[in-house]
Amino acid sequence: MLTQRLAEFAIETKSSGVPGDVMDAARDALIDTLGCGIVGSTEEVGEIALRYVSGMQARREASVWGTHVATTMAEAAFVNGILGHALDFDDVHAAVHGHPSTTMIPAALAVGEANGASGESLAAAYAVGLEVAAKLGIAFGNGHYQRGWHSTATAGIFGSTVVAARLLGLPVPQLRHALGLAASQASGLLKNFGTMTKPFHAGHAARCAVQSALLARAGFTADTSIFDGDDSFLRTYGEKDSQPLGPLLDRLGTPWEALDPGISFKRWPCCYCNHRSIGVLLQMIERHGIRGEDVQAVEIGFPPGSDTALIHTNPQTGLEGKFSIEYVAAACLLDGKVGIDTFTDVMVNRPEVRALMHKVKRYRIQDSKMYSGSVGYNDVMVRTGRGEQRVREDRAPGSRAWPMSAAERDEKFLDCAGRVLGDVGARRVLDLAIGIRGLDDVGKLARAMVPAESAARVDRGASAVLAK
Amino acid sequence: MLTQRLAEFAIETKSSGVPGDVMDAARDALIDTLGCGIVGSTEEVGEIALRYVSGMQARREASVWGTHVATTMAEAAFVNGILGHALDFDDVHAAVHGHPSTTMIPAALAVGEANGASGESLAAAYAVGLEVAAKLGIAFGNGHYQRGWHSTATAGIFGSTVVAARLLGLPVPQLRHALGLAASQASGLLKNFGTMTKPFHAGHAARCAVQSALLARAGFTADTSIFDGDDSFLRTYGEKDSQPLGPLLDRLGTPWEALDPGISFKRWPCCYCNHRSIGVLLQMIERHGIRGEDVQAVEIGFPPGSDTALIHTNPQTGLEGKFSIEYVAAACLLDGKVGIDTFTDVMVNRPEVRALMHKVKRYRIQDSKMYSGSVGYNDVMVRTGRGEQRVREDRAPGSRAWPMSAAERDEKFLDCAGRVLGDVGARRVLDLAIGIRGLDDVGKLARAMVPAESAARVDRGASAVLAK
């Protein structure tokens, strides 16, 4: 009865029983996700999704971040999930094999706003949802990802279903139905990385999760033992390296996934598989004064599995560039930095970038183990006329081994959110989010993300809708 | 460039280029699906889905069959897909390994109504969509189904995306994006058979298909070669027996799947894997006067793969009973018939049924080949005090080998639709659907499915919504 055990943990863990440092980690994930999502509303993918959802003219239950739009809980989760992942700047979790928060925070805030949930219940729901998504992510194994699945969505949908179920007050039996229903909506392909469909995966998982919880509450039925038996979810989605779920369930909350391995925050808005190399390259630039025009050759080694998501070797668009170590290394060396503006079509197609990309060689490091974007190491070599620099790096920037400080994370949030809400608006959202555990109604936070008329930009999404 | 070839066929095949007998088959599938869907609105799964969608209060673009509810194109496709599959009474296609029409007709009629499409364009879109779903179904192979996928949804989503794209006027490049986006939403698990989530699969596929076409039209991007390369859709969803798509694309429209193997129509509202046995049992009852109380033993043999969908050996609910040869055989022998009323919780739990079910033995016929619900054979043995009857049957009732006549299909439609629309209303919808090829606006057909106040029943779904 694995499904029953999982559902019992998910529902019966009290908010007051989640340790304070886990709640703090949930708060940090909330802040990071909101920042990424608010600025995500200015990305083209965000604007299209926003127009689509606005066009439904559905009941205004929950807010779309950084805009004046409101829609149903499920649709708000959908579009906010897309916004949160639009820049690929949102947080990462090793066990999820992907992005934990851009599926769960949109589901949490949409359901929370519509139901007047407290900040404490939202943070606890996130922490418990992450336990479920991460333990399932481990059960799925690396082979699941290697077969082409985007675990962010296929593991995330279950975490998000738990989040929605808690905030809707579902009892254990209804959560079991909701998990069965969610299982039949788990999807998302790695082949779509570098297109708008990658952030879509997060939104789709968030929407399907909220919908599953709502339908289960209304009496909808599904298999209530979706993780049990020879015909379990893992028969279809698992691979040879799948792990039995039973022993993993023994470890629910011991330790909490939010702390161990912990949530990694991104310093740069591109696939996490690039980040060790970026960290090394920026250090080389700083320490050795390397300039792009001096570079003769770059070699970046990846052990097996650690560059599976970097599917583009010759990117043509900004989105494809996010999934190309060839582009990222070239841009980093030429510009001396990596930021939101790095990933536009124009920047990817600069002649000096194309020239330097040809000098970047990616190669496979022989290693009997399988790694991922979060877990592994890279060998980085840069050669100029002045000699070679070689570094092996196993710490992922933004992880607990090489952390972003609270001040750096605040700075990231204010930079992202400020582009839409202005400095004052962004600061107000940050203050509310920092105080999430004391917030009586998370709707106050959701509504604080509506831009003032005097904010940094007119809300383009909403304007486009009105112009239709 | 398999994706390009597929998309070219899907868009560039003119309605006038689809042969008349193929259009007739599309018409017959339309009639069958509408009948199943209209009465599906009275099933509990239909009522819950209807309340969920009504609660969105979204823009009224397309009608929900058999009700007064209207909603957006995508949501109408969603709920009508659920209604169409609610009774598991809708048509079957061997190459799709499932139900072709309950994903495609809801998508077609929702988009067609909202855009004033002609009946000819709708029928042609269906025929072309079926080519795509069926060729992909063959490419996926039997192993896809055996791994636990519900092909109705995973193949159907692509057929439905083609249908929606044609009726929205998408050019080939946008369809390629839509197919890539749809691929990331292909889902549906066999483990959920016998619950409300099975019909949900059809609705989910139909909605995701419409949404994919709409988003692609709005500029949304996805991988445009989703069926090409080592990392194609089939890397993730295919199995060892997957077939290369290239040779299958050579056979698009030669012959048309609507004619060869053709669409099978169900005489009885339960999983098609039961139907050969039901056909045999009813013949035995008629020819030999077998009565349930006289039965000492029943043995039903299935070759490999032909009872994969019959996942319940000891069903507790009407829905589970649809996927149990043990129940279906017992009920058939006791009642002398199988109908909509056979599959209620009360009927499944009758003591005399439970007793007879224990005398029904299912066994595996040794055969080196793999079969499916549509393709294969069964050995049926019934023993009474007067002796044994043994029959091997390879014709599936409702298929071209053992067809339903046009009159029988009309009778099925009128029985189904009449329960909601009354006799006059049902006849009117049937006449419009029979004349689909000459209909200037399929909205007329959609709106004819709204029950009159004086119809056979007050629309329960809408009443429930209003009472909320």
Side-chain angles (χ1 to χ4, degrees):
Chain A
M1 296 306 293
L2 300 170
T3 312
Q4 171 70 15
R5 280 178 62 199
L6 188 152
E8 281 176 4
F9 172 83
I11 296 299
E12 293 173 0
T13 302
K14 291 201 175 3
S15 295
S16 57
V18 180
D21 46 359
V22 175
M23 296 289 270
D24 288 347
R27 172 202 63 204
D28 295 345
L30 171 70
I31 294 169
D32 190 72
T33 308
L34 295 184
C36 294
I38 290 168
V39 69
S41 67
T42 67
E43 289 287 296
E44 192 181 359
V45 62
E47 293 183 346
I48 297 174
L50 192 57
R51 280 201 300 276
Y52 178 75
V53 166
S54 300
M56 297 176 71
Q57 301 172 6
R59 193 163 65 177
R60 295 171 64 87
E61 296 175 330
S63 306
V64 178
W65 305 342
T67 77
H68 294 92
V69 176
T71 181
T72 65
M73 284 180 265
E75 299 304 318
F78 171 60
V79 63
N80 287 331
I82 293 175
L83 300 186
H85 203 39
L87 283 162
D88 229 301
F89 205 3
D90 52 303
D91 59 16
V92 171
H93 193 279
V96 175
H97 293 269
H99 302 265
S101 304
T102 190
T103 58
M104 293 201 291
I105 294 292
L109 205 49
V111 175
E113 179 182 3
N115 294 276
S118 71
E120 185 185 32
S121 66
L122 181 139
Y126 173 89
V128 170
L130 179 56
E131 287 305 297
V132 170
K135 261 57 174 189
L136 289 173
I138 298 168
F140 297 173
N142 223 324
H144 173 78
Y145 196 91
Q146 303 299 329
R147 190 182 172 107
W149 293 112
H150 187 192
S151 313
T152 293
T154 54
I157 191 172
F158 295 109
S160 300
T161 299
V162 164
V163 164
R166 280 181 69 98
L167 295 174
L168 287 169
L170 260 57
V172 168
Q174 285 189 347
L175 174 57
R176 289 175 59 175
H177 285 289
L179 290 168
L181 181 53
S184 270
Q185 299 166 77
S187 60
L189 292 171
L190 215 126
K191 188 164 170 71
N192 275 313
F193 280 21
T195 74
M196 295 181 192
T197 299
K198 189 187 185 221
F200 174 93
H201 294 164
H204 184 68
R207 171 165 65 182
C208 291
V210 171
Q211 172 178 275
S212 297
L214 288 170
L215 285 172
R217 186 175 67 170
F220 215 84
T221 62
D223 185 281
T224 54
S225 301
I226 200 70
F227 298 116
D228 291 276
D230 291 340
D231 59 348
S232 86
F233 181 80
L234 282 165
R235 170 176 68 152
T236 309
Y237 285 80
E239 295 299 308
K240 280 183 193 147
D241 68 344
S242 293
Q243 292 189 35
L245 191 55
L248 292 166
L249 297 185
D250 294 337
R251 286 159 44 197
L252 282 166
T254 51
W256 288 80
E257 295 282 344
L259 301 178
D260 183 5
I263 300 160
S264 299
F265 298 100
K266 282 188 170 182
R267 293 172 182 271
W268 310 289
C270 57
C271 181
Y272 204 49
C273 299
N274 296 301
H275 282 221
R276 269 187 219 91
S277 305
I278 299 173
V280 169
L281 290 170
L282 290 175
Q283 284 181 337
M284 287 181 179
I285 290 166
E286 190 184 332
R287 291 175 189 170
H288 306 289
I290 291 173
R291 294 158 53 104
E293 54 266 41
D294 301 332
V295 172
Q296 296 171 347
V298 180
E299 291 178 7
I300 303 184
F302 290 85
S306 66
D307 65 338
T308 303
L310 300 178
I311 63 173
H312 291 285
T313 56
N314 185 27
Q316 305 298 317
T317 68
L319 280 182
E320 290 178 357
K322 290 174 185 275
F323 301 90
S324 169
I325 187 63
E326 293 78 10
Y327 171 64
V328 165
C332 183
L333 286 163
L334 273 171
D335 303 330
K337 63 179 181 182
V338 176
I340 292 176
D341 301 331
T342 303
F343 298 99
T344 64
D345 297 355
V346 169
M347 290 290 272
V348 169
N349 287 294
R350 288 175 289 169
E352 62 273 30
V353 159
R354 310 306 300 185
L356 186 49
M357 274 173 61
H358 286 117
K359 299 179 184 168
V360 179
K361 185 185 155 205
R362 177 197 322 205
Y363 66 96
R364 173 71 61 242
I365 300 170
Q366 294 306 313
D367 191 314
S368 60
K369 277 206 270 185
M370 188 61 101
Y371 298 88
S372 71
S374 307
V375 179
Y377 58 93
N378 290 106
D379 288 340
V380 179
M381 186 286 291
V382 177
R383 186 189 309 130
T384 66
R386 289 175 290 148
E388 281 184 11
Q389 299 295 332
R390 288 185 178 274
V391 169
R392 170 166 288 197
E393 179 60 64
D394 61 2
R395 298 168 308 152
S399 72
R400 296 214 310 174
W402 189 351
M404 283 179 82
S405 67
E408 286 172 329
R409 285 187 275 107
D410 286 355
E411 189 186 343
K412 175 184 172 184
F413 176 87
L414 293 170
D415 177 36
C416 287
R419 291 171 186 240
V420 175
L421 304 179
D423 294 344
V424 174
R427 185 74 234 178
R428 179 169 144 66
V429 173
L430 180 59
D431 289 343
L432 279 166
I434 288 173
I436 187 73
R437 289 179 61 186
L439 198 61
D440 61 334
D441 175 3
V442 296
K444 292 176 183 171
L445 172 62
R447 290 185 288 274
M449 289 190 280
V450 177
E453 291 304 328
S454 59
R457 65 164 184 130
V458 176
D459 179 45
R460 291 194 280 159
S463 308
V465 171
L466 293 172
K468 284 270 148 177
Chain B
M1 295 307 294
L2 301 170
T3 312
Q4 171 71 15
R5 280 177 61 199
L6 188 152
E8 281 176 5
F9 172 83
I11 297 299
E12 293 173 0
T13 302
K14 292 202 174 4
S15 296
S16 57
V18 179
D21 47 359
V22 176
M23 295 289 270
D24 288 346
R27 173 203 63 204
D28 295 344
L30 171 70
I31 293 169
D32 189 73
T33 309
L34 296 184
C36 295
I38 291 168
V39 70
S41 68
T42 67
E43 289 287 297
E44 192 181 1
V45 61
E47 294 184 345
I48 297 174
L50 192 58
R51 280 202 301 276
Y52 178 76
V53 166
S54 299
M56 297 176 70
Q57 300 172 6
R59 193 163 65 177
R60 295 172 63 88
E61 296 175 329
S63 306
V64 177
W65 304 343
T67 78
H68 294 91
V69 176
T71 180
T72 65
M73 284 180 265
E75 298 305 318
F78 171 61
V79 64
N80 287 331
I82 293 175
L83 299 186
H85 202 39
L87 284 164
D88 228 302
F89 205 3
D90 51 304
D91 59 15
V92 171
H93 193 279
V96 174
H97 294 267
H99 302 266
S101 303
T102 190
T103 58
M104 294 200 292
I105 294 293
L109 205 50
V111 174
E113 179 183 3
N115 294 276
S118 72
E120 185 184 33
S121 66
L122 181 139
Y126 173 88
V128 170
L130 179 57
E131 286 305 297
V132 170
K135 261 57 177 190
L136 289 173
I138 299 168
F140 297 174
N142 222 324
H144 173 77
Y145 196 90
Q146 302 298 330
R147 190 182 173 108
W149 293 112
H150 187 193
S151 313
T152 294
T154 54
I157 191 172
F158 296 109
S160 300
T161 299
V162 164
V163 165
R166 281 181 68 99
L167 295 173
L168 288 169
L170 259 56
V172 168
Q174 285 188 347
L175 174 57
R176 289 175 60 175
H177 285 288
L179 290 168
L181 181 52
S184 270
Q185 298 166 78
S187 60
L189 292 172
L190 214 126
K191 188 166 170 69
N192 275 312
F193 281 20
T195 75
M196 296 182 190
T197 300
K198 189 187 186 222
F200 175 92
H201 294 164
H204 185 67
R207 171 165 66 182
C208 291
V210 171
Q211 173 177 273
S212 296
L214 289 171
L215 284 173
R217 186 175 68 168
F220 215 85
T221 62
D223 185 282
T224 53
S225 301
I226 199 70
F227 297 117
D228 292 276
D230 292 340
D231 59 348
S232 86
F233 181 81
L234 282 164
R235 169 177 67 152
T236 309
Y237 285 80
E239 294 300 307
K240 280 183 192 148
D241 68 345
S242 293
Q243 293 189 35
L245 190 55
L248 292 166
L249 297 185
D250 294 338
R251 287 159 42 197
L252 282 165
T254 50
W256 287 81
E257 295 283 343
L259 302 179
D260 182 7
I263 300 160
S264 299
F265 298 100
K266 283 187 171 184
R267 293 172 184 271
W268 309 290
C270 58
C271 181
Y272 204 50
C273 299
N274 297 300
H275 282 222
R276 268 187 221 91
S277 306
I278 298 173
V280 169
L281 290 170
L282 290 176
Q283 284 181 339
M284 287 181 177
I285 291 167
E286 190 183 333
R287 292 176 188 169
H288 307 288
I290 291 173
R291 296 157 53 105
E293 54 267 39
D294 302 331
V295 172
Q296 297 170 345
V298 180
E299 292 178 4
I300 303 184
F302 290 85
S306 66
D307 65 339
T308 304
L310 300 178
I311 63 174
H312 290 287
T313 55
N314 185 27
Q316 306 299 317
T317 68
L319 280 182
E320 290 178 358
K322 289 174 186 273
F323 301 89
S324 170
I325 187 63
E326 292 78 11
Y327 171 65
V328 166
C332 184
L333 287 164
L334 273 172
D335 303 329
K337 63 180 181 178
V338 176
I340 291 176
D341 301 330
T342 304
F343 298 98
T344 65
D345 297 355
V346 169
M347 290 290 272
V348 169
N349 287 294
R350 288 175 289 169
E352 62 273 28
V353 160
R354 310 306 299 184
L356 187 49
M357 273 173 60
H358 287 117
K359 300 178 184 169
V360 179
K361 186 185 156 205
R362 178 197 323 205
Y363 66 96
R364 172 71 61 241
I365 301 171
Q366 293 308 311
D367 190 314
S368 59
K369 277 205 270 184
M370 187 61 100
Y371 297 89
S372 70
S374 307
V375 179
Y377 59 92
N378 290 107
D379 289 339
V380 180
M381 186 285 291
V382 177
R383 185 188 312 131
T384 66
R386 290 175 287 149
E388 280 184 11
Q389 299 296 331
R390 287 186 178 275
V391 170
R392 169 166 290 196
E393 180 59 65
D394 62 1
R395 299 169 307 153
S399 71
R400 295 215 308 176
W402 190 351
M404 284 178 81
S405 68
E408 287 171 327
R409 285 186 275 106
D410 285 355
E411 189 185 343
K412 174 183 172 184
F413 176 87
L414 292 171
D415 177 37
C416 287
R419 291 170 186 242
V420 175
L421 303 179
D423 293 345
V424 174
R427 184 76 235 178
R428 179 169 145 66
V429 173
L430 180 59
D431 288 343
L432 280 166
I434 287 173
I436 186 74
R437 290 178 63 187
L439 199 61
D440 61 334
D441 175 3
V442 296
K444 293 177 183 171
L445 173 62
R447 289 184 289 274
M449 288 190 281
V450 177
E453 291 306 325
S454 58
R457 66 165 184 131
V458 176
D459 179 44
R460 290 194 281 158
S463 307
V465 170
L466 292 172
K468 285 269 148 175

